[in-house]
Amino acid sequence: MRQLLLAILLVFPFLLHAPDSDQIQHVLSMQADAWNHHDLERFMTGYWNSPQLTFFSGGKASQGWQAALDRYRKSYQSQGHELGHLDFSDLLIQSLGPDSAFVRGTWKLTVSDGKTPHGLFTLVFRRFPDGWKIIHDHTSAAE
């Protein structure tokens, strides 16, 4: 009985601070839908609109919501590029506290030439008054 009580006391704080996985999942689903409808502005509503947003990709670090949007536009909407169809999978959402969460998963693009760029990502989410937002994104592409 004592061991059961100890186990409950150890786990209970994590249950109290579990992120709303459904809301975080909704943000990611909305982002994929927006991407697949070629709506980068709606896609970007999943990110914290702040100069402090951080984004790591391709061995480079960038900072700021506008810089992330500009990078997406250059990489996927400029001449000779396309958004394609985005899928997220293998998602794991873990609480870091009452207002933060860590998410990891895989991404895959399917583009018109038949190529399927793909890779891994880790995200840090924070709960704001207007909902869960990504405050850090580290995305890597498979070689």
Side-chain angles (χ1 to χ4, degrees), residues 3-106:
Q3 290 176 341
L4 178 62
L5 181 60
L6 180 60
I8 290 171
L9 291 174
L10 290 173
V11 171
F12 189 69
F14 293 104
L15 296 176
L16 285 177
H17 298 299
D20 187 339
S21 296
D22 290 341
Q23 289 182 5
I24 292 171
Q25 176 66 48
H26 176 74
V27 171
L28 295 169
S29 295
M30 175 280 301
Q31 284 190 302
D33 182 66
W35 186 279
N36 295 334
H37 285 93
H38 306 144
D39 187 349
L40 276 180
E41 285 73 21
R42 187 165 67 103
F43 173 82
M44 289 297 296
T45 64
Y47 286 95
W48 182 30
N49 192 341
S50 168
Q52 296 175 9
L53 169 70
T54 53
F55 197 104
F56 295 175
S57 182
K60 296 180 182 176
S62 63
Q63 192 164 342
W65 185 91
Q66 188 62 52
L69 176 59
D70 293 344
R71 182 185 157 280
Y72 279 125
R73 283 183 176 148
K74 180 180 178 185
S75 298
Y76 297 100
Q77 284 189 323
S78 62
Q79 186 73 22
H81 296 91
E82 68 175 285
L83 286 165
H85 183 86
L86 176 63
D87 287 304
F88 295 130
S89 61
D90 303 323
L91 296 176
L92 175 65
I93 301 170
Q94 295 179 300
S95 175
L96 296 175
D99 295 320
S100 59
F102 171 82
V103 178
R104 68 179 182 204
T106 62

Side-chain angles (χ1 to χ4, degrees), residues 91-139:
L91 296 176
L92 175 65
I93 301 170
Q94 295 179 300
S95 175
L96 296 175
D99 295 320
S100 59
F102 171 82
V103 178
R104 68 179 182 204
T106 62
W107 62 271
K108 177 182 166 186
L109 278 179
T110 304
V111 293
S112 62
D113 65 3
K115 292 182 181 173
T116 56
H118 60 283
L120 304 172
F121 63 85
T122 55
L123 307 170
V124 177
F125 273 80
R126 182 185 299 163
R127 185 194 327 250
F128 291 93
D130 61 339
W132 289 93
K133 303 287 182 180
I134 300 164
I135 65 168
H136 176 77
D137 183 328
H138 188 166
T139 298

